[in-house]
Amino acid sequence: PLKRTPTHAGRKAARCHPQAAPSKMSPSNRSPPLPPPRCAASTATTTKSSGPTTTTAHQHGAMLKSSLHMLLVMLSLVGITNATVATHRISWGVTSTAGRDITVEVGDSVTWEWDQTPVANLSVVSGVPADASTHGTHFASAEQSSGNFTVQFTQPGAYPYFSPGDYSWYMQGTITVISAPTAAPTAAPTWAPTTPAPSAYPTTYAPSWSPSASP
């Protein structure tokens, strides 16, 4: 008779569930057979290794373009911020009246400085001297003989001012506030990879020798 060779599944079952050896004890003294052991289910864990990340030329160009665009936006914001923090100076006193009518942009500040001699106790008030209803409508300083007074203008328009008292007839001026010009947006530079043109090769080949006649 042919001898059967156990298969892989049969060998595994034989290992997990071995046959119990026959007992030589009498039937009355035999213990109940123990249940066959169970094979623990094996779990396989597959770990996916991640290789190094590569960046193509197209991705590199896109990142460079994005970085340049962000840089241009930041530079434009810095320019706008610097344009809105201008401070204009007016010398306030009884000696000189030069530079009292000025034009500024929205967001600019104007500072009156008590820096002239002889020293006088003065104030600066918005409005027109002849119209009491306009006095101090937008700003008004205390009477002082030194120091300074600053006002920031946030709305366009004309703001007349003067110094109440004996000098009001000539200590006056007008602050004209205009809207800040809008800067044109700067286009981001475009970048595209260039491909070198292939070199030209001759399409025909002309031999540089000629056959000689046979003798």
Side-chain angles (χ1 to χ4, degrees):
L2 296 178
K3 183 178 181 181
R4 294 185 179 180
T5 303
T7 61
H8 177 73
R11 290 195 299 269
K12 183 176 180 181
R15 289 196 302 267
C16 295
H17 306 284
Q19 296 286 339
S23 176
K24 297 181 180 181
M25 300 177 64
S26 61
S28 60
N29 295 332
R30 289 182 182 179
S31 300
L34 296 175
R38 294 183 179 179
C39 292
S42 59
T43 57
T45 304
T46 303
T47 304
K48 184 178 180 181
S49 60
S50 58
T53 303
T54 58
T55 303
T56 63
H58 178 72
Q59 292 173 336
H60 179 73
M63 291 188 293
L64 179 61
K65 180 179 179 181
S66 178
S67 300
L68 290 175
H69 179 71
M70 292 180 62
L71 178 61
L72 291 174
V73 171
M74 293 176 63
L75 291 176
S76 63
L77 291 177
V78 171
I80 293 174
T81 303
N82 291 337
T84 58
V85 295
T87 300
H88 305 268
R89 175 183 172 274
I90 295 177
S91 179
W92 198 234
V94 297
T95 304
S96 174
T97 60
R100 293 183 178 176
D101 294 330
I102 61 175
T103 299
V104 302
E105 295 180 355
V106 172
D108 289 356
S109 297
V110 177
T111 298
W112 288 263
E113 295 183 351
W114 280 251
D115 57 354
Q116 296 185 19
T117 55
V119 176
N121 197 27
L122 305 170
S123 63
V124 56
V125 177
S126 63
V128 180
D131 187 358
S133 63
T134 64
H135 295 179
T137 304
H138 300 288
F139 56 85
S141 75
E143 289 189 355
Q144 56 195 63
S145 57
S146 62
N148 56 65
F149 175 70
T150 302
V151 176
Q152 184 180 27
F153 294 88
T154 59
Q155 297 294 331
Y159 299 86
Y161 67 93
F162 69 102
S163 177
D166 298 336
Y167 307 103
S168 61
W169 61 276
Y170 78 97
M171 288 194 63
Q172 54 185 285
T174 301
I175 308 296
T176 303
V177 183
I178 62 176
S179 300
T182 304
T186 304
T190 58
W191 180 88
T194 57
T195 303
S199 58
Y201 293 96
T203 57
T204 60
Y205 173 76
S208 59
W209 56 273
S210 58
S212 57
S214 300

